[in-house]
Amino acid sequence: MLLRLRVSLPDRPGVLGQVARAFGVMGADILQVTVLERQAGRAVDDFTVSWSGVFEPGELRERIGVVPGTRVEAVWPTREAPGSTPDYDLLRHVAADPDRAYVTLVDAVPDLVSAEWAVAVDSADGTIVHGSWQAPESVPAADLTPLRASAFEEGGLHLTSVPMDGVHLVVARSQGPAFHRAELDKIVRLVGIVSVLAGGVSRTA
């Protein structure tokens, strides 16, 4: 299975190597490392690993956490396969069929940030305009349309909401950590590019 682990670790030479060795001892193959932040002598990295061990993911979390100064913040499944280019694939599909730009974005964005589902919510009345294949018929958040792009928690879900042309793109995950600001920034940038490529196409196209 593919897993994503968010790890906070000391930002000094050698620590990343110790973490990598700990993964290896557990039989986890590191496929990708994404640096989310570096500040105040610490770093926060997302590791994507292939995990076929006989242990539960929680034990993987415990074993990695024994590296001095390291804290595993979350472990959760992901469908984001390293080596693929889902961002570019999304933009290619949008450019090829701008009439379906926002539908394509809603369907694709969960896999881009290791989330579970996404919906486009009408900014005026809160109705769901379109949902990805795993999206519920109704969403538990009372207010999904903040004025600015935001990450928050509601009803046991980690959510982001980004305004786009009369609707808000809402992305959710129930497993894993809260959305990091780097993930929110990625979604904001994707929304901006898709809006340009759509060129004023109706959000419900």
Side-chain angles (χ1 to χ4, degrees):
M1 74 178 76
L2 289 180
L3 294 176
R4 177 70 60 86
L5 292 90
R6 181 157 299 168
V7 182
S8 173
L9 63 159
D11 187 15
R12 61 173 183 264
V15 176
L16 185 59
Q18 294 177 46
V19 172
R21 284 192 293 274
F23 275 117
V25 168
M26 289 293 293
D29 185 16
I30 298 175
L31 304 178
Q32 180 173 284
V33 181
T34 302
V35 179
L36 297 178
E37 68 177 71
R38 297 178 65 187
Q39 61 181 3
R42 295 193 65 81
V44 176
D45 296 346
D46 272 2
F47 292 82
T48 302
V49 304
S50 175
W51 171 242
S52 57
V54 296
F55 305 106
E56 293 296 322
E59 183 159 355
L60 179 61
R61 174 178 185 158
E62 293 174 4
R63 295 290 185 91
I64 302 305
V66 302
V67 176
T70 298
R71 181 176 68 254
V72 179
E73 297 183 351
V75 182
W76 74 106
T78 182
R79 296 188 303 271
E80 186 180 352
S84 61
T85 55
D87 309 54
Y88 297 142
D89 290 341
L90 164 63
L91 298 179
R92 176 174 59 83
H93 287 301
V94 169
D97 190 0
D99 288 344
R100 290 181 52 82
Y102 298 116
V103 170
T104 301
L105 175 62
V106 170
D107 288 342
V109 76
D111 286 348
L112 303 184
V113 290
S114 294
E116 293 165 31
W117 52 265
V119 292
V121 177
D122 190 290
S123 301
D125 60 19
T127 59
I128 297 177
V129 175
H130 178 70
S132 66
W133 73 277
Q134 286 188 313
E137 294 183 2
S138 61
V139 290
D143 184 7
L144 296 175
T145 58
L147 293 178
R148 298 180 179 178
S150 304
F152 53 97
E153 185 174 352
E154 183 75 34
L157 292 172
H158 297 300
L159 300 164
T160 65
S161 182
V162 178
M164 59 174 194
D165 299 337
V167 300
H168 277 64
L169 173 64
V170 179
V171 187
R173 64 181 170 218
S174 60
Q175 302 182 68
F179 286 94
H180 191 275
R181 62 177 178 271
E183 294 175 298
L184 178 59
D185 181 64
K186 179 177 182 176
I187 297 171
V188 169
R189 291 174 183 271
L190 284 171
V191 166
I193 296 171
V194 168
S195 296
V196 171
L197 293 174
V201 171
S202 169
R203 66 181 185 271
T204 58

